[in-house]
């Protein structure tokens, strides 16, 4: 069920709101990874998907902390994740958003079929066996090829999973859309504009020029905002800092909430006025490739997951010894974004691995 056609499922308000709130908090927290003067992009929905799978594999305090970070109860996640996933996973003639969930289990591990079946049925999650211990290179190659294929080649990296990998969760995301139905490119402005760089220098660029849209600019004390719609109705929303403010100042969860709730209505019925606005903006690209473990620990309170003494994945692992050893050493998040004259292209991947001691060797008995 990779691609959903036809009528869009009705998604519960609880899971939609939890994803929105998570996205704002995640985005604000992630901005601190940005190197000075460099563009960066993250995909909150990819992280949300991966953590949802992690919650299903976890138990006890580990699961509760993940659910708290997502802002949703386990019952709601289990009941409504499928509709949420299907509502996002759509493909059209000129654009698409494709999500792919997967769990990669070391061949020597014993798992509960009930959990694996739940991942498949409730979370649309592929399950793969991989020999991380005996053929580590081959297992890593398989994960790499999965992400490469599911992101249409935009993310092609070696995740370098250890021989001690017990299992790993991977979400991959691919998105593309054009500005209009025919895929026509936006025109450039006739003249160049001085674009201020973060280091204080400036560069003259000809900007892309969108059509006029019915609507008024959202204006606050800290920033102004407007948007450019894609052909399939997504919005590329812009925030322009007011005098005395920087991009870092205004990129907060509170202000992102204001954007999602903004009324850009362009008609003043009382005074019989229609407002028309259009954006001019540069072509740009942005990327991200970081371990977000500390972001989740400090920003969301996810701690047990990363603690070898308290991490609990007994919902998935049936071998008590291996379950006791398993813990998550890192969460790798990768994102790529390109905005150009034809439209938007983006990809993301979130990897959540669990490590432990090397798997048992045949013919040996462990005595303690």
């Amino acid at each position: 069920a990779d691609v959903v056609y036809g009528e869009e499922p009705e998604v519960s308000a609880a899971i939609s709101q939890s994803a929105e709130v998570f996205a704002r908090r995640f985005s604000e927290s992630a901005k601190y990874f940005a190197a000075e003067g460099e563009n960066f992009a993250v995909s909150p929905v990819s992280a949300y998907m991966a953590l949802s799978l992690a919650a299903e594999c976890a138990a006890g305090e580990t699961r509760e902390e993940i659910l708290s970070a997502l802002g949703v109860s386990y019952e709601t996640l289990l009941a409504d994740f499928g509709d949420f996933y299907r509502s996002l996973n759509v493909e059209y003639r000129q654009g698409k958003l494709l999500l792919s969930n997967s769990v990669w289990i070391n061949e020597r591990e014993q798992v509960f079929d009930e959990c694996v079946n739940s991942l498949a049925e409730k979370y649309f999650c592929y399950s793969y066996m991989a020999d991380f211990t005996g053929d580590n290179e081959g297992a890593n190659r398989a994960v790499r090829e999965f992400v490469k294929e599911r992101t249409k080649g935009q993310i092609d990296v070696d995740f370098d999973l250890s021989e001690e990998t017990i299992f790993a969760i991977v979400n991959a995301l691919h998105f593309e859309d054009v500005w209009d139905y025919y895929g026509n490119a936006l025109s450039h402005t006739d003249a160049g504009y001085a674009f201020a760089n973060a280091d204080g220098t400036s560069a003259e660029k000809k900007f892309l020029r969108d059509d006029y849209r019915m609507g008024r600019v959202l204006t606050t004390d800290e920033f102004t905002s407007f948007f450019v719609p894609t052909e399939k109705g997504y919005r590329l929303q812009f925030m322009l800092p007011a005098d005395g403010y920087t991009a870092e100042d205004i990129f907060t969860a509170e202000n992102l909430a204001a954007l999602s709730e903004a009324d850009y209505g362009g008609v003043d019925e009382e005074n019989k006025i229609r407002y028309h606005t259009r954006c001019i903006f540069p072509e740009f690209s942005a990327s991200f490739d970081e371990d977000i473990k500390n972001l989740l620990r400090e920003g969301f309170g996810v701690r047990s997951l990363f603690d070898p003494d308290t991490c609990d994945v007994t919902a998935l692992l049936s071998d008590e010894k291996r379950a006791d050893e398993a813990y998550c050493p890192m969460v790798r998040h990768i994102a790529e974004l390109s905005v150009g004259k034809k439209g938007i292209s983006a990809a993301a991947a979130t990897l959540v691995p669990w490590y432990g001691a090397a798997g048992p060797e045949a013919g040996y008995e462990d005595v303690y």
Side-chain angles (χ1 to χ4, degrees):
D2 281 335
V3 183
V4 177
Y5 300 93
E7 186 175 345
E8 186 173 307
E10 185 175 339
V11 182
S12 75
I15 199 164
S16 295
Q17 184 177 10
S18 78
E20 284 281 351
V21 173
F22 176 85
R24 297 166 196 161
R25 293 177 60 196
F26 183 85
S27 299
E28 179 179 8
S29 298
K31 74 181 180 183
Y32 297 107
F33 283 97
E36 186 173 351
E38 293 185 6
N39 293 338
F40 84 104
V42 292
S43 174
V45 71
S46 176
Y48 188 96
M49 290 279 155
L51 288 173
S52 296
L53 302 183
E56 183 62 20
C57 296
E61 181 183 7
T62 305
R63 175 183 281 176
E64 290 306 313
E65 288 182 353
I66 297 171
L67 292 171
S68 177
L70 296 174
V72 68
S73 70
Y74 178 66
E75 291 73 23
T76 297
L77 187 68
L78 194 63
D80 298 337
F81 182 92
D83 286 339
F84 179 59
Y85 172 94
R86 290 170 54 237
S87 72
L88 296 174
N89 220 39
V90 291
E91 181 170 4
Y92 303 97
R93 189 177 72 86
Q94 293 274 27
K96 56 189 166 187
L97 171 59
L98 300 178
L99 296 160
S100 300
N101 293 327
S102 62
V103 58
W104 300 76
I105 302 168
N106 191 34
E107 286 185 354
R108 306 180 183 202
E109 309 304 333
Q110 300 173 30
V111 297
F112 287 114
D113 290 341
E114 182 181 359
C115 182
V116 174
N117 292 339
S118 181
L119 287 170
E121 296 167 8
K122 302 294 186 180
Y123 298 86
F124 298 97
C125 180
Y126 294 97
S127 298
Y128 298 101
M129 302 300 291
D131 191 0
F132 290 107
T133 305
D135 183 11
N136 185 257
E137 182 179 343
N140 272 286
R141 184 168 57 249
V143 175
R144 179 175 188 165
E145 287 300 317
F146 175 86
V147 173
K148 180 181 178 181
E149 177 191 357
R150 296 288 163 162
T151 61
K152 308 302 180 185
Q154 285 187 269
I155 296 178
D156 182 13
V157 300
D158 184 357
F159 290 97
D160 198 25
L161 289 160
S162 164
E163 293 179 359
E164 298 178 355
T165 302
I166 296 176
F167 73 100
I169 282 168
V170 180
N171 169 267
L173 175 154
H174 173 68
F175 171 73
E176 61 184 11
D177 205 351
V178 295
W179 298 122
D180 67 32
Y181 182 78
Y182 298 102
N184 295 328
L186 296 182
S187 62
H188 284 95
T189 55
D190 296 329
Y193 288 80
F195 187 83
N197 294 316
D199 62 4
T201 62
S202 64
E204 185 166 300
K205 286 182 174 288
K206 286 190 174 182
F207 283 15
L208 295 174
R209 179 169 49 202
D210 185 39
D211 294 332
Y212 277 106
R213 307 289 172 182
M214 183 76 76
R216 269 190 282 188
V217 171
L218 170 67
T219 303
T220 73
D221 293 338
E222 299 179 5
F223 66 92
T224 55
S225 173
F226 203 66
F227 65 92
V228 176
T230 66
E231 199 276 316
K232 294 305 173 189
Y234 296 99
R235 285 184 174 185
L236 181 64
Q237 290 182 291
F238 293 101
M239 301 171 72
L240 185 65
D243 288 343
Y245 291 90
T246 67
E248 184 175 328
D249 292 334
I250 67 170
F251 199 71
T252 66
E254 181 180 0
N255 286 342
L256 293 175
L259 259 62
S260 66
E261 297 162 3
D263 178 9
Y264 294 101
V267 180
D268 180 347
E269 295 286 1
E270 183 178 350
N271 296 300
K272 300 297 182 184
I273 299 173
R274 292 193 182 98
Y275 292 91
H276 305 267
T277 305
R278 69 177 176 187
C279 292
I280 59 172
F281 55 98
E283 297 179 70
F284 67 93
S285 61
S287 61
F288 188 91
D289 186 351
E290 298 283 353
D291 177 3
I292 59 171
K293 176 176 71 174
N294 287 338
L295 181 158
L296 295 172
R297 280 168 54 94
E298 305 305 322
F300 290 86
V302 179
R303 300 183 179 278
S304 173
L305 179 68
F306 307 113
D307 187 337
D309 294 325
T310 61
C311 182
D312 185 347
V313 283
T314 53
L316 176 66
L317 298 179
S318 58
D319 184 323
E320 291 184 11
K321 178 177 179 295
R322 297 297 277 165
D324 186 58
E325 294 174 345
Y327 77 101
C328 177
M330 50 88 77
V331 176
R332 187 171 176 183
H333 184 70
I334 305 172
E336 297 287 343
L337 171 67
S338 178
V339 176
K341 60 185 180 180
K342 296 282 288 185
I344 301 174
S345 179
T350 304
L351 170 81
V352 189
W354 278 259
Y355 289 179
E361 294 186 63
Y364 285 82
E365 178 187 2
D366 291 315
V367 177
Y368 296 89

